[in-house]
Amino acid sequence: MDDHTLPLYTAEPRLPSYAVATSPTLSYTPSLTLSDTSFMSTNFVFTSKSAVLDLGPRTWGASTPVYGHHGLIEGTLDVKKIDTVHKIIYVLVGRATTTLVREGIPVAPQVITVLDHSAEVYRRSTETTVAEGSQRFQLLFELPELSGDDLPLPPSFTRRLPGTVGEITYEIQVDIYRRGWRSHETIKAPFLYLPRTAPPQEPQLVQLPDSADWKLREYLELDWETFRINRGRGTLVQFSLPRPLWYKSQARIFLTCTIASARLSNTNAVGRNLNVTLHRVISMRSLGRSEVSEVTLAEGDILQAKVDEIRGITIFFGVISGGRHEGEMAFRVSNSMEVKYLIRVKLTSVASGSGTFVEDCYHEQPITLTTHSWAELNHELNGRNPALGLYTR
């Protein structure tokens, strides 16, 4: 077989850097329920004593407004007795809250602000006379891409671990200041931020020669990132994943495991001893205390073994996929919480009849899962739409 038809095999593979982007019932949305269809024709309306905030129709059928990546928040604000109003301020607020739980009771919350954007909608000039009555203001704001610590703005999220509760919430706040004593009134409208995410680039492919094994085309045309997974002096074992290490949730992730021996007496036995799993890891931190929860999303399948006698190697081809459809997303809030994904590879020691020995191998590779593929997000015109797969089911 031509050298260009198999994943790179090197004695000292280059390890990638890992950048965080992305339980079976992981919830990204706090207490989200789908509304009855009878409410689909109504708008999201929030009121105070003398003002009405209308954020438009219930487009997605949810109980609160829902916005996606760079989502546009559009609406109107009707204010009564505008002649008594001094100024109106519109605020977008996002908070990541982690709370310790002692004996089942939440105590000692830690709050980190991830979004704090304000704009002055109205200010009365001292030189202008304002007529009595009501006035309508048009509101239009675009959600930013980054949070306060220059990380991607995290999605709405809620999760309860045995000792910690974590939640990311967003709200629109309108502050109306009037003349006189105790004249400040506020409207608060919670909303959900569910951004669509995708790998930073499309999968890298290589040009196949005419002599390529077309039965393995899906593997051979990929550009691979290779990692050594045994640390001793035994037979060299390497694990490979397609570049970039970002994958759509529930999509197939191709993988290979290369053993530096073409004389394995029983490749089926080796394949059975090769275990590949996909994991979601949630970590939370509150007031100096950390807690981690991990769930296995999937187990990989080893589909085929191929011996390359020229290079003296045996390659195992496999695949793994897991998570909820369009419902997985890696994110991080500094000093608060993180959701990340790992692929773990374990090969139990194998001794062949020819004396070739493969020691116990273990490797843990961080990856990033996204709600959509690169092609889906770059070929669609609705990238601002929310990732509905992140709904609480």
Side-chain angles (χ1 to χ4, degrees):
M1 178 176 290
D2 191 279
D3 287 352
H4 295 290
T5 65
L6 294 172
L8 292 177
Y9 176 72
T10 58
E12 297 182 356
R14 178 175 57 87
L15 292 175
S17 60
Y18 172 58
V20 177
T22 141
S23 68
T25 57
L26 175 69
S27 300
Y28 280 86
T29 55
S31 304
L32 175 63
T33 57
L34 296 181
S35 301
D36 186 89
T37 54
S38 62
F39 295 99
M40 291 297 289
S41 61
T42 63
N43 287 8
F44 287 111
V45 176
F46 306 87
T47 63
S48 66
K49 182 178 179 180
S50 61
V52 177
L53 175 63
D54 186 335
L55 293 179
R58 300 172 182 264
T59 307
W60 304 108
S63 58
T64 56
V66 184
Y67 303 101
H69 182 250
H70 281 300
L72 293 177
I73 299 178
E74 301 178 77
T76 60
L77 176 66
D78 292 313
V79 181
K80 299 178 182 178
K81 300 180 180 179
I82 190 65
D83 57 300
T84 66
V85 173
H86 170 58
K87 65 179 178 179
I88 301 173
I89 297 177
Y90 186 89
V91 186
L92 300 178
V93 181
R95 301 182 181 92
T97 304
T98 50
T99 306
L100 296 180
V101 178
R102 300 290 173 82
E103 298 181 355
I105 301 176
V107 296
Q110 171 187 289
V111 180
I112 293 179
T113 299
V114 297
L115 175 63
D116 185 6
H117 174 76
S118 62
E120 190 172 86
V121 177
Y122 170 82
R123 177 183 289 270
R124 181 178 178 178
S125 173
T126 56
E127 301 176 355
T128 304
T129 301
V130 179
E132 296 180 2
S134 301
Q135 184 168 336
R136 168 168 292 185
F137 299 90
Q138 298 291 332
L139 305 177
L140 177 62
F141 295 91
E142 181 180 22
L143 287 170
E145 182 174 358
L146 302 178
S147 63
D149 54 3
D150 290 332
L151 291 172
L153 194 64
S156 298
F157 174 84
T158 182
R159 178 64 173 167
R160 185 184 184 95
L161 303 183
T164 315
V165 175
E167 188 175 39
I168 298 176
T169 58
Y170 293 92
E171 71 178 11
I172 302 162
Q173 179 175 312
V174 180
D175 292 306
I176 303 172
Y177 298 88
R178 298 180 184 272
R179 298 194 307 270
W181 178 249
R182 294 182 179 178
S183 57
H184 175 205
E185 60 182 287
T186 299
I187 301 176
K188 292 185 178 182
F191 69 90
L192 298 171
Y193 177 60
L194 306 176
R196 294 184 175 190
T197 56
Q201 63 187 60
E202 60 184 331
Q204 301 300 296
L205 303 180
V206 297
Q207 187 69 34
L208 295 180
D210 294 337
S211 59
D213 185 345
W214 293 96
K215 293 181 181 180
L216 295 173
R217 179 183 177 85
E218 289 181 305
Y219 290 88
L220 303 181
E221 66 182 1
L222 293 171
D223 184 26
W224 296 85
E225 188 85 30
T226 301
F227 320 95
R228 177 169 181 166
I229 66 173
N230 64 329
R231 306 304 178 191
R233 296 183 178 180
T235 302
L236 182 64
V237 182
Q238 293 183 330
F239 176 69
S240 299
L241 288 170
R243 294 190 181 101
L245 303 180
W246 295 55
Y247 312 101
K248 175 185 175 181
S249 58
Q250 218 176 62
R252 293 189 304 168
I253 303 174
F254 296 106
L255 56 93
T256 68
C257 184
T258 304
I259 300 178
S261 173
R263 297 182 175 83
L264 295 178
S265 60
N266 191 338
T267 56
N268 289 333
V270 177
R272 287 194 297 269
N273 286 1
L274 179 60
N275 180 256
V276 182
T277 51
L278 173 63
H279 304 263
R280 183 201 299 125
V281 181
I282 302 175
S283 58
M284 295 185 187
R285 183 177 181 85
S286 182
L287 303 177
R289 181 183 182 276
S290 298
E291 185 172 3
V292 179
S293 173
E294 180 179 306
V295 171
T296 301
L297 298 178
E299 295 185 2
D301 294 315
I302 303 303
L303 305 178
Q304 183 176 349
K306 195 170 186 66
V307 176
D308 185 345
E309 295 184 352
I310 296 177
R311 295 200 293 172
I313 61 177
T314 300
I315 300 181
F316 294 86
F317 297 87
V319 68
I320 192 170
S321 64
R324 297 180 302 164
H325 177 64
E326 298 183 1
E328 303 291 342
M329 176 181 170
F331 71 87
R332 180 167 66 94
V333 178
S334 298
N335 300 314
S336 179
M337 65 185 76
E338 180 179 14
V339 174
K340 63 182 181 180
Y341 299 88
L342 305 170
I343 288 182
R344 290 200 175 101
V345 187
K346 182 179 180 181
L347 177 61
T348 307
S349 60
V350 179
S352 73
S354 63
T356 300
F357 176 77
V358 180
E359 63 183 5
D360 285 348
C361 301
Y362 178 85
H363 180 71
E364 189 174 277
Q365 182 57 46
I367 65 169
T368 299
L369 288 189
T370 62
T371 64
H372 289 71
S373 67
W374 183 91
E376 287 172 331
L377 222 57
N378 285 272
H379 295 165
E380 294 180 355
L381 299 177
N382 54 355
R384 293 179 186 265
N385 286 352
L388 300 181
L390 297 178
Y391 272 170
T392 300
R393 297 301 186 184

